[in-house]
């Protein structure tokens, strides 16, 4: 089965601090893509960052970066200098063939 | 404005009454997909389409039908809805399948009583 696991249903972080959201996945493929999507209270799904599995370098997008450990099948998201607008549900996802597989999500609260 | 639109945004219906949720994109995307989102289960793919007249099942296709007669439209059909299909539904489109970013519609909240 193609699974994506997010083991932290809820996380909280103080404003301006750093938080890391965890994600592990299962795959038998050697090349694939991984994604983090953000879903704020508006329910709109927004792509935060993506990583290609064969690239060793971890992807970064401004305050968002990933720690990609291919052997461990781990893909965590680090949010630096957290802002109130970062409060949202975050979903980890990976592709498989022409399909996409999402985790169960982590709800992030940002404390002022 | 580039967007994915879904209609209706909210729907309450009764068991067995056929319904269609429409999805349309104006970005000339080849790939379109339907997901359902349930608490504790995340998003699960129902059906996807690689192009016109090309559709395939995702992880949870039972009870749903789709069609792709035009590139821009990808309706989701529930021929005999049941209460276990109460969910939040998202349509998404992208240039092609991975690695392209998927653009999501605003979601349709469906309640089946």
């Amino acid at each position: 089965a193609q699974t994506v696991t997010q083991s932290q249903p809820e996380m909280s972080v103080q404003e301006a601090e750093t938080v890391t959201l965890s994600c592990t996945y299962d795959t038998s493929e050697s090349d694939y893509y991984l994604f983090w999507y953000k879903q704020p209270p508006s329910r709109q799904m927004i792509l935060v960052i993506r990583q290609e599995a064969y690239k060793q370098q971890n992807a970064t997008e401004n305050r968002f970066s990933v720690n990609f450990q291919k052997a461990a099948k781990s893909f965590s998201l680090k949010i630096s200098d957290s802002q109130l607008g970062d409060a949202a549900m975050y979903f980890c996802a990976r592709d498989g063939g022409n399909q996409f597989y999402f985790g169960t999500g982590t709800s992030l609260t940002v404390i002022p | 404005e580039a967007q994915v639109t879904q209609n209706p945004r909210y729907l309450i219906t009764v068991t067995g009454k056929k319904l269609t949720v429409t999805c349309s994109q104006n970005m000339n995307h080849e790939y379109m997909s339907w997901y359902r989102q349930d608490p504790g289960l995340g998003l699960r793919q129902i059906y996807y389409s690689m192009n016109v007249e090309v559709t395939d099942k995702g992880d949870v296709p039972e009870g749903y039908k789709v069609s792709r007669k035009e590139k821009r439209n990808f309706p989701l059909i529930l021929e005999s809805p049941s209460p276990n299909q109460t969910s939040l539904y998202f349509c998404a489109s992208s240039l092609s399948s991975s690695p392209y970013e998927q653009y999501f519609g605003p979601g349709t909240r469906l309640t089946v009583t």
Side-chain angles (χ1 to χ4, degrees):
Chain A
Q2 309 268 12
T3 57
V4 176
T5 302
Q6 294 179 249
S7 59
Q8 307 153 315
E10 298 177 345
M11 293 279 286
S12 61
V13 62
Q14 290 286 145
E15 195 174 3
E17 297 295 308
T18 295
V19 65
T20 299
L21 308 185
S22 301
C23 174
T24 58
Y25 58 92
D26 183 26
T27 183
S28 57
E29 298 168 25
S30 58
D31 196 18
Y32 47 90
Y33 285 83
L34 298 159
F35 308 84
W36 277 99
Y37 279 86
K38 171 185 177 181
Q39 186 181 46
S42 66
R43 299 189 328 206
Q44 186 65 46
M45 293 284 288
I46 304 161
L47 178 66
V48 175
I49 199 165
R50 99 188 92 196
Q51 172 84 40
E52 184 169 7
Y54 85 81
K55 288 187 176 176
Q56 301 280 359
Q57 189 172 5
N58 289 325
T60 63
E61 288 285 344
N62 300 313
R63 298 182 295 108
F64 297 87
S65 61
V66 299
N67 182 6
F68 173 49
Q69 303 287 330
K70 190 173 184 178
K73 294 180 182 171
S74 170
F75 182 59
S76 60
L77 175 70
K78 185 171 84 170
I79 306 174
S80 305
D81 185 26
S82 297
Q83 301 175 359
L84 295 177
D86 295 334
M89 183 73 83
Y90 287 83
F91 292 98
C92 178
R94 61 144 295 200
D95 66 347
N98 295 313
Q99 290 188 241
F100 290 89
Y101 303 92
F102 284 78
T104 52
T106 296
S107 178
L108 179 66
T109 300
V110 181
I111 304 166
Chain B
E1 180 191 353
Q3 61 182 348
V4 178
T5 57
Q6 292 179 230
N7 282 292
R9 296 287 309 278
Y10 301 89
L11 179 60
I12 300 174
T13 189
V14 296
T15 299
K17 185 176 181 182
K18 181 179 178 179
L19 66 92
T20 300
V21 184
T22 63
C23 173
S24 183
Q25 51 92 4
N26 62 1
M27 296 168 278
N28 202 36
H29 284 169
E30 291 187 349
Y31 186 90
M32 296 187 75
S33 181
W34 277 103
Y35 298 89
R36 60 177 290 173
Q37 181 179 357
D38 302 289
L41 296 177
L43 277 80
R44 293 177 292 168
Q45 197 167 28
I46 302 171
Y47 270 95
Y48 63 94
S49 170
M50 298 292 291
N51 213 325
V52 176
E53 302 291 359
V54 181
T55 63
D56 210 343
K57 296 176 181 179
D59 275 350
V60 288
E62 294 76 21
Y64 304 95
K65 285 177 59 176
V66 293
S67 68
R68 187 95 181 270
K69 293 184 172 58
E70 304 166 283
K71 199 170 188 178
R72 62 182 294 130
N73 296 324
F74 190 46
L76 179 69
I77 303 155
L78 286 72
E79 296 213 323
S80 183
S82 63
N84 65 11
Q85 293 178 297
T86 292
S87 188
L88 177 60
Y89 290 87
F90 286 99
C91 179
S93 75
S94 61
L95 204 58
S96 185
S97 61
S98 204
Y100 298 100
E101 175 182 357
Q102 289 191 82
Y103 292 82
F104 283 79
T108 295
R109 172 73 69 184
L110 172 66
T111 302
V112 184
T113 61

Short mmCIF file of all heavy atoms in Angstrom, two decimals, chain B residues 28-77:
data_model
loop_
_atom_site.label_atom_id
_atom_site.label_comp_id
_atom_site.label_asym_id
_atom_site.label_seq_id
_atom_site.Cartn_x
_atom_site.Cartn_y
_atom_site.Cartn_z
N ASN B 28 -6.16 25.32 -18.98
CA ASN B 28 -5.80 24.36 -20.03
C ASN B 28 -4.97 23.19 -19.48
O ASN B 28 -4.11 22.64 -20.16
CB ASN B 28 -5.03 25.04 -21.18
CG ASN B 28 -5.11 24.24 -22.47
OD1 ASN B 28 -6.13 23.62 -22.78
ND2 ASN B 28 -4.03 24.22 -23.23
N HIS B 29 -5.27 22.82 -18.24
CA HIS B 29 -4.54 21.71 -17.62
C HIS B 29 -5.01 20.38 -18.15
O HIS B 29 -6.20 20.17 -18.40
CB HIS B 29 -4.75 21.74 -16.09
CG HIS B 29 -3.94 22.82 -15.43
ND1 HIS B 29 -4.13 23.17 -14.11
CD2 HIS B 29 -2.93 23.59 -15.88
CE1 HIS B 29 -3.28 24.11 -13.79
NE2 HIS B 29 -2.54 24.39 -14.84
N GLU B 30 -4.06 19.47 -18.28
CA GLU B 30 -4.41 18.11 -18.74
C GLU B 30 -4.91 17.24 -17.60
O GLU B 30 -5.79 16.42 -17.78
CB GLU B 30 -3.18 17.47 -19.40
CG GLU B 30 -2.78 18.10 -20.72
CD GLU B 30 -1.68 17.34 -21.42
OE1 GLU B 30 -1.07 16.45 -20.79
OE2 GLU B 30 -1.42 17.64 -22.60
N TYR B 31 -4.29 17.37 -16.43
CA TYR B 31 -4.57 16.48 -15.32
C TYR B 31 -5.62 17.09 -14.40
O TYR B 31 -5.50 18.25 -13.99
CB TYR B 31 -3.28 16.22 -14.54
CG TYR B 31 -3.36 15.20 -13.44
CD1 TYR B 31 -3.10 13.85 -13.69
CD2 TYR B 31 -3.68 15.57 -12.14
CE1 TYR B 31 -3.15 12.90 -12.68
CE2 TYR B 31 -3.74 14.63 -11.12
CZ TYR B 31 -3.47 13.29 -11.40
OH TYR B 31 -3.53 12.36 -10.40
N MET B 32 -6.65 16.30 -14.10
CA MET B 32 -7.66 16.72 -13.13
C MET B 32 -7.97 15.57 -12.19
O MET B 32 -7.80 14.39 -12.56
CB MET B 32 -8.93 17.20 -13.84
CG MET B 32 -8.71 18.44 -14.70
SD MET B 32 -10.20 19.14 -15.40
CE MET B 32 -10.93 19.95 -13.95
N SER B 33 -8.41 15.93 -11.00
CA SER B 33 -8.56 14.89 -9.97
C SER B 33 -9.63 15.30 -8.97
O SER B 33 -9.89 16.49 -8.77
CB SER B 33 -7.22 14.71 -9.26
OG SER B 33 -7.30 13.70 -8.29
N TRP B 34 -10.25 14.30 -8.34
CA TRP B 34 -11.18 14.52 -7.25
C TRP B 34 -10.65 13.85 -5.99
O TRP B 34 -10.16 12.71 -6.03
CB TRP B 34 -12.56 13.93 -7.58
CG TRP B 34 -13.41 14.83 -8.40
CD1 TRP B 34 -13.67 14.76 -9.73
CD2 TRP B 34 -14.13 15.98 -7.92
NE1 TRP B 34 -14.49 15.78 -10.12
CE2 TRP B 34 -14.80 16.54 -9.03
CE3 TRP B 34 -14.29 16.58 -6.67
CZ2 TRP B 34 -15.62 17.68 -8.92
CZ3 TRP B 34 -15.10 17.70 -6.55
CH2 TRP B 34 -15.75 18.23 -7.68
N TYR B 35 -10.80 14.57 -4.86
CA TYR B 35 -10.43 14.06 -3.55
C TYR B 35 -11.59 14.24 -2.60
O TYR B 35 -12.40 15.14 -2.75
CB TYR B 35 -9.23 14.83 -2.98
CG TYR B 35 -7.97 14.75 -3.79
CD1 TYR B 35 -7.71 15.66 -4.81
CD2 TYR B 35 -7.02 13.77 -3.53
CE1 TYR B 35 -6.54 15.59 -5.54
CE2 TYR B 35 -5.84 13.70 -4.26
CZ TYR B 35 -5.63 14.61 -5.27
OH TYR B 35 -4.46 14.53 -6.00
N ARG B 36 -11.61 13.40 -1.58
CA ARG B 36 -12.48 13.65 -0.45
C ARG B 36 -11.61 13.80 0.80
O ARG B 36 -10.57 13.14 0.93
CB ARG B 36 -13.52 12.54 -0.27
CG ARG B 36 -13.01 11.16 -0.02
CD ARG B 36 -14.17 10.17 0.22
NE ARG B 36 -14.84 10.40 1.48
CZ ARG B 36 -15.97 9.77 1.88
NH1 ARG B 36 -16.52 8.86 1.08
NH2 ARG B 36 -16.52 10.04 3.04
N GLN B 37 -12.04 14.71 1.67
CA GLN B 37 -11.30 14.97 2.90
C GLN B 37 -12.19 14.65 4.08
O GLN B 37 -13.29 15.20 4.21
CB GLN B 37 -10.84 16.44 2.98
CG GLN B 37 -10.04 16.73 4.24
CD GLN B 37 -9.57 18.18 4.31
OE1 GLN B 37 -9.78 18.97 3.38
NE2 GLN B 37 -8.92 18.54 5.39
N ASP B 38 -11.73 13.77 4.93
CA ASP B 38 -12.46 13.38 6.12
C ASP B 38 -11.56 13.51 7.35
O ASP B 38 -10.36 13.21 7.26
CB ASP B 38 -12.94 11.93 5.99
CG ASP B 38 -13.83 11.72 4.78
OD1 ASP B 38 -14.97 12.21 4.82
OD2 ASP B 38 -13.38 11.10 3.79
N PRO B 39 -12.12 13.92 8.48
CA PRO B 39 -11.30 14.09 9.69
C PRO B 39 -10.55 12.81 10.05
O PRO B 39 -11.13 11.73 10.07
CB PRO B 39 -12.35 14.44 10.76
CG PRO B 39 -13.49 15.02 10.00
CD PRO B 39 -13.53 14.28 8.69
N GLY B 40 -9.28 12.95 10.30
CA GLY B 40 -8.46 11.80 10.68
C GLY B 40 -8.00 10.93 9.53
O GLY B 40 -7.20 10.02 9.73
N LEU B 41 -8.52 11.21 8.34
CA LEU B 41 -8.15 10.40 7.16
C LEU B 41 -7.40 11.20 6.11
O LEU B 41 -6.90 10.63 5.14
CB LEU B 41 -9.40 9.77 6.54
CG LEU B 41 -10.15 8.77 7.42
CD1 LEU B 41 -11.41 8.29 6.71
CD2 LEU B 41 -9.27 7.58 7.79
N GLY B 42 -7.34 12.49 6.26
CA GLY B 42 -6.65 13.32 5.27
C GLY B 42 -7.42 13.38 3.97
O GLY B 42 -8.64 13.24 3.93
N LEU B 43 -6.69 13.58 2.87
CA LEU B 43 -7.29 13.61 1.55
C LEU B 43 -7.06 12.26 0.87
O LEU B 43 -5.95 11.72 0.91
CB LEU B 43 -6.67 14.69 0.67
CG LEU B 43 -7.20 16.11 0.84
CD1 LEU B 43 -6.58 16.77 2.05
CD2 LEU B 43 -6.93 16.94 -0.41
N ARG B 44 -8.10 11.77 0.26
CA ARG B 44 -7.98 10.51 -0.47
C ARG B 44 -8.49 10.73 -1.90
O ARG B 44 -9.53 11.33 -2.11
CB ARG B 44 -8.78 9.41 0.23
CG ARG B 44 -8.20 9.03 1.59
CD ARG B 44 -9.07 7.98 2.26
NE ARG B 44 -10.36 8.52 2.64
CZ ARG B 44 -11.40 7.78 3.03
NH1 ARG B 44 -11.30 6.46 3.06
NH2 ARG B 44 -12.54 8.36 3.39
N GLN B 45 -7.74 10.20 -2.84
CA GLN B 45 -8.06 10.42 -4.24
C GLN B 45 -9.19 9.49 -4.68
O GLN B 45 -9.13 8.27 -4.46
CB GLN B 45 -6.81 10.22 -5.10
CG GLN B 45 -6.89 10.81 -6.48
CD GLN B 45 -5.54 10.86 -7.17
OE1 GLN B 45 -4.66 10.04 -6.90
NE2 GLN B 45 -5.36 11.80 -8.07
N ILE B 46 -10.18 10.06 -5.34
CA ILE B 46 -11.35 9.28 -5.78
C ILE B 46 -11.15 8.82 -7.22
O ILE B 46 -11.19 7.62 -7.53
CB ILE B 46 -12.63 10.13 -5.67
CG1 ILE B 46 -12.83 10.64 -4.24
CG2 ILE B 46 -13.84 9.32 -6.13
CD1 ILE B 46 -13.95 11.66 -4.11
N TYR B 47 -10.98 9.76 -8.11
CA TYR B 47 -10.72 9.51 -9.52
C TYR B 47 -9.76 10.58 -10.03
O TYR B 47 -9.67 11.67 -9.47
CB TYR B 47 -12.02 9.61 -10.35
CG TYR B 47 -12.77 8.33 -10.51
CD1 TYR B 47 -13.82 8.01 -9.63
CD2 TYR B 47 -12.47 7.44 -11.53
CE1 TYR B 47 -14.54 6.83 -9.78
CE2 TYR B 47 -13.19 6.25 -11.68
CZ TYR B 47 -14.22 5.96 -10.80
OH TYR B 47 -14.92 4.79 -10.95
N TYR B 48 -9.08 10.25 -11.11
CA TYR B 48 -8.25 11.25 -11.78
C TYR B 48 -8.37 11.06 -13.28
O TYR B 48 -8.82 10.01 -13.77
CB TYR B 48 -6.79 11.18 -11.32
CG TYR B 48 -6.08 9.88 -11.63
CD1 TYR B 48 -5.33 9.74 -12.79
CD2 TYR B 48 -6.13 8.81 -10.74
CE1 TYR B 48 -4.66 8.56 -13.07
CE2 TYR B 48 -5.47 7.63 -11.01
CZ TYR B 48 -4.74 7.50 -12.17
OH TYR B 48 -4.08 6.33 -12.45
N SER B 49 -7.95 12.10 -14.00
CA SER B 49 -8.03 12.07 -15.45
C SER B 49 -6.75 12.66 -16.03
O SER B 49 -6.35 13.78 -15.66
CB SER B 49 -9.23 12.89 -15.93
OG SER B 49 -9.19 13.08 -17.33
N MET B 50 -6.12 11.92 -16.91
CA MET B 50 -4.88 12.39 -17.53
C MET B 50 -5.15 13.32 -18.70
O MET B 50 -4.29 14.11 -19.07
CB MET B 50 -4.03 11.21 -18.00
CG MET B 50 -3.59 10.28 -16.88
SD MET B 50 -2.42 11.08 -15.77
CE MET B 50 -1.00 11.21 -16.85
N ASN B 51 -6.33 13.19 -19.30
CA ASN B 51 -6.70 14.04 -20.43
C ASN B 51 -8.14 13.72 -20.82
O ASN B 51 -8.80 12.88 -20.18
CB ASN B 51 -5.75 13.83 -21.61
CG ASN B 51 -5.52 15.11 -22.42
OD1 ASN B 51 -6.44 15.92 -22.57
ND2 ASN B 51 -4.33 15.29 -22.91
N VAL B 52 -8.62 14.35 -21.86
CA VAL B 52 -9.99 14.12 -22.31
C VAL B 52 -10.21 12.64 -22.60
O VAL B 52 -9.38 12.00 -23.23
CB VAL B 52 -10.29 14.97 -23.57
CG1 VAL B 52 -11.68 14.66 -24.11
CG2 VAL B 52 -10.14 16.44 -23.27
N GLU B 53 -11.31 12.12 -22.08
CA GLU B 53 -11.73 10.73 -22.28
C GLU B 53 -10.80 9.72 -21.62
O GLU B 53 -10.91 8.52 -21.88
CB GLU B 53 -11.88 10.40 -23.78
CG GLU B 53 -12.86 11.27 -24.54
CD GLU B 53 -14.31 11.05 -24.15
OE1 GLU B 53 -14.59 10.19 -23.27
OE2 GLU B 53 -15.19 11.74 -24.70
N VAL B 54 -9.88 10.17 -20.77
CA VAL B 54 -8.97 9.26 -20.06
C VAL B 54 -9.16 9.46 -18.56
O VAL B 54 -8.75 10.49 -18.01
CB VAL B 54 -7.50 9.53 -20.44
CG1 VAL B 54 -6.58 8.54 -19.70
CG2 VAL B 54 -7.29 9.42 -21.94
N THR B 55 -9.81 8.50 -17.93
CA THR B 55 -10.03 8.58 -16.49
C THR B 55 -9.60 7.28 -15.83
O THR B 55 -9.57 6.22 -16.48
CB THR B 55 -11.50 8.85 -16.15
OG1 THR B 55 -12.29 7.75 -16.60
CG2 THR B 55 -11.99 10.14 -16.80
N ASP B 56 -9.28 7.36 -14.55
CA ASP B 56 -8.86 6.15 -13.84
C ASP B 56 -9.21 6.28 -12.36
O ASP B 56 -9.36 7.39 -11.84
CB ASP B 56 -7.36 5.91 -14.01
CG ASP B 56 -7.02 4.43 -13.97
OD1 ASP B 56 -7.86 3.62 -13.49
OD2 ASP B 56 -5.92 4.06 -14.40
N LYS B 57 -9.32 5.13 -11.70
CA LYS B 57 -9.71 5.10 -10.31
C LYS B 57 -8.56 5.49 -9.41
O LYS B 57 -7.40 5.14 -9.65
CB LYS B 57 -10.18 3.69 -9.93
CG LYS B 57 -11.41 3.23 -10.66
CD LYS B 57 -11.76 1.80 -10.29
CE LYS B 57 -12.99 1.33 -11.06
NZ LYS B 57 -13.32 -0.08 -10.73
N GLY B 58 -8.91 6.19 -8.34
CA GLY B 58 -7.97 6.45 -7.28
C GLY B 58 -8.12 5.41 -6.19
O GLY B 58 -8.47 4.25 -6.47
N ASP B 59 -7.95 5.82 -4.95
CA ASP B 59 -8.01 4.88 -3.84
C ASP B 59 -9.41 4.56 -3.36
O ASP B 59 -9.65 3.50 -2.79
CB ASP B 59 -7.19 5.44 -2.67
CG ASP B 59 -5.73 5.10 -2.79
OD1 ASP B 59 -5.38 4.30 -3.68
OD2 ASP B 59 -4.92 5.64 -2.01
N VAL B 60 -10.35 5.49 -3.56
CA VAL B 60 -11.71 5.31 -3.02
C VAL B 60 -12.78 5.61 -4.06
O VAL B 60 -13.59 6.50 -3.90
CB VAL B 60 -11.91 6.18 -1.75
CG1 VAL B 60 -11.13 5.63 -0.59
CG2 VAL B 60 -11.53 7.63 -2.02
N PRO B 61 -12.85 4.84 -5.17
CA PRO B 61 -13.77 5.17 -6.24
C PRO B 61 -15.21 4.66 -6.06
O PRO B 61 -16.11 5.08 -6.79
CB PRO B 61 -13.12 4.47 -7.44
CG PRO B 61 -12.47 3.26 -6.83
CD PRO B 61 -11.97 3.72 -5.48
N GLU B 62 -15.42 3.74 -5.09
CA GLU B 62 -16.73 3.11 -4.98
C GLU B 62 -17.81 4.14 -4.70
O GLU B 62 -17.70 4.94 -3.78
CB GLU B 62 -16.72 2.05 -3.87
CG GLU B 62 -15.82 0.84 -4.14
CD GLU B 62 -14.35 1.15 -3.94
OE1 GLU B 62 -14.04 2.13 -3.22
OE2 GLU B 62 -13.51 0.43 -4.51
N GLY B 63 -18.89 4.08 -5.48
CA GLY B 63 -20.02 4.98 -5.29
C GLY B 63 -19.92 6.27 -6.08
O GLY B 63 -20.81 7.11 -5.99
N TYR B 64 -18.85 6.43 -6.84
CA TYR B 64 -18.64 7.65 -7.61
C TYR B 64 -18.45 7.33 -9.10
O TYR B 64 -17.98 6.26 -9.45
CB TYR B 64 -17.40 8.40 -7.12
CG TYR B 64 -17.40 8.73 -5.66
CD1 TYR B 64 -16.79 7.89 -4.74
CD2 TYR B 64 -18.02 9.89 -5.19
CE1 TYR B 64 -16.78 8.19 -3.38
CE2 TYR B 64 -18.02 10.19 -3.84
CZ TYR B 64 -17.39 9.34 -2.95
OH TYR B 64 -17.40 9.65 -1.60
N LYS B 65 -18.81 8.30 -9.92
CA LYS B 65 -18.50 8.24 -11.35
C LYS B 65 -17.95 9.58 -11.78
O LYS B 65 -18.26 10.62 -11.16
CB LYS B 65 -19.76 7.93 -12.17
CG LYS B 65 -20.22 6.49 -12.10
CD LYS B 65 -21.51 6.29 -12.88
CE LYS B 65 -21.38 6.65 -14.34
NZ LYS B 65 -22.63 6.36 -15.10
N VAL B 66 -17.16 9.58 -12.85
CA VAL B 66 -16.66 10.81 -13.42
C VAL B 66 -16.73 10.72 -14.92
O VAL B 66 -16.91 9.64 -15.49
CB VAL B 66 -15.19 11.10 -13.01
CG1 VAL B 66 -15.08 11.38 -11.51
CG2 VAL B 66 -14.28 9.95 -13.42
N SER B 67 -16.58 11.86 -15.57
CA SER B 67 -16.45 11.90 -17.02
C SER B 67 -15.55 13.07 -17.39
O SER B 67 -15.46 14.05 -16.65
CB SER B 67 -17.81 12.02 -17.70
OG SER B 67 -18.38 13.29 -17.45
N ARG B 68 -14.89 12.95 -18.53
CA ARG B 68 -14.03 14.04 -19.00
C ARG B 68 -14.26 14.18 -20.51
O ARG B 68 -13.50 13.70 -21.33
CB ARG B 68 -12.56 13.73 -18.70
CG ARG B 68 -11.62 14.89 -19.01
CD ARG B 68 -11.34 15.70 -17.81
NE ARG B 68 -10.47 16.84 -18.09
CZ ARG B 68 -9.12 16.79 -18.01
NH1 ARG B 68 -8.51 15.67 -17.70
NH2 ARG B 68 -8.42 17.87 -18.25
N LYS B 69 -15.33 14.87 -20.83
CA LYS B 69 -15.69 15.05 -22.24
C LYS B 69 -15.01 16.29 -22.82
O LYS B 69 -14.82 16.40 -24.04
CB LYS B 69 -17.20 15.16 -22.39
CG LYS B 69 -17.94 13.86 -22.06
CD LYS B 69 -19.42 13.97 -22.31
CE LYS B 69 -20.13 12.63 -22.19
NZ LYS B 69 -19.96 12.01 -20.88
N GLU B 70 -14.70 17.24 -21.95
CA GLU B 70 -13.99 18.45 -22.37
C GLU B 70 -12.79 18.61 -21.45
O GLU B 70 -12.84 18.19 -20.29
CB GLU B 70 -14.89 19.68 -22.24
CG GLU B 70 -16.19 19.61 -22.96
CD GLU B 70 -17.11 20.72 -22.47
OE1 GLU B 70 -17.68 20.57 -21.38
OE2 GLU B 70 -17.24 21.73 -23.17
N LYS B 71 -11.78 19.27 -21.95
CA LYS B 71 -10.56 19.41 -21.16
C LYS B 71 -10.81 20.20 -19.88
O LYS B 71 -10.22 19.92 -18.83
CB LYS B 71 -9.49 20.11 -21.99
CG LYS B 71 -8.08 19.92 -21.48
CD LYS B 71 -7.09 20.43 -22.48
CE LYS B 71 -5.67 20.09 -22.08
NZ LYS B 71 -4.68 20.55 -23.07
N ARG B 72 -11.65 21.20 -19.90
CA ARG B 72 -11.81 22.09 -18.77
C ARG B 72 -12.73 21.53 -17.68
O ARG B 72 -12.69 22.01 -16.56
CB ARG B 72 -12.31 23.44 -19.23
CG ARG B 72 -13.68 23.43 -19.91
CD ARG B 72 -14.06 24.82 -20.38
NE ARG B 72 -14.27 25.71 -19.25
CZ ARG B 72 -13.71 26.92 -19.15
NH1 ARG B 72 -12.92 27.37 -20.10
NH2 ARG B 72 -13.96 27.68 -18.11
N ASN B 73 -13.57 20.57 -17.99
CA ASN B 73 -14.59 20.12 -17.03
C ASN B 73 -14.37 18.68 -16.58
O ASN B 73 -14.04 17.80 -17.39
CB ASN B 73 -15.98 20.24 -17.65
CG ASN B 73 -16.35 21.68 -17.95
OD1 ASN B 73 -15.99 22.59 -17.21
ND2 ASN B 73 -17.06 21.88 -19.05
N PHE B 74 -14.65 18.45 -15.31
CA PHE B 74 -14.46 17.11 -14.75
C PHE B 74 -15.49 16.91 -13.64
O PHE B 74 -15.20 16.99 -12.45
CB PHE B 74 -13.03 16.98 -14.21
CG PHE B 74 -12.61 15.58 -13.82
CD1 PHE B 74 -12.87 14.50 -14.65
CD2 PHE B 74 -11.93 15.35 -12.63
CE1 PHE B 74 -12.47 13.22 -14.30
CE2 PHE B 74 -11.53 14.08 -12.27
CZ PHE B 74 -11.79 13.01 -13.10
N PRO B 75 -16.74 16.63 -14.00
CA PRO B 75 -17.79 16.49 -12.98
C PRO B 75 -17.68 15.18 -12.20
O PRO B 75 -17.25 14.15 -12.73
CB PRO B 75 -19.08 16.53 -13.81
CG PRO B 75 -18.67 16.06 -15.18
CD PRO B 75 -17.26 16.52 -15.37
N LEU B 76 -18.11 15.26 -10.95
CA LEU B 76 -18.17 14.10 -10.06
C LEU B 76 -19.64 13.75 -9.86
O LEU B 76 -20.43 14.61 -9.47
CB LEU B 76 -17.52 14.41 -8.72
CG LEU B 76 -17.53 13.30 -7.68
CD1 LEU B 76 -16.61 12.16 -8.10
CD2 LEU B 76 -17.12 13.84 -6.31
N ILE B 77 -19.99 12.51 -10.13
CA ILE B 77 -21.38 12.07 -10.09
C ILE B 77 -21.56 11.04 -8.98
O ILE B 77 -20.80 10.06 -8.90
CB ILE B 77 -21.80 11.45 -11.44
CG1 ILE B 77 -21.58 12.48 -12.56
CG2 ILE B 77 -23.26 10.99 -11.40
CD1 ILE B 77 -21.37 11.85 -13.92
#
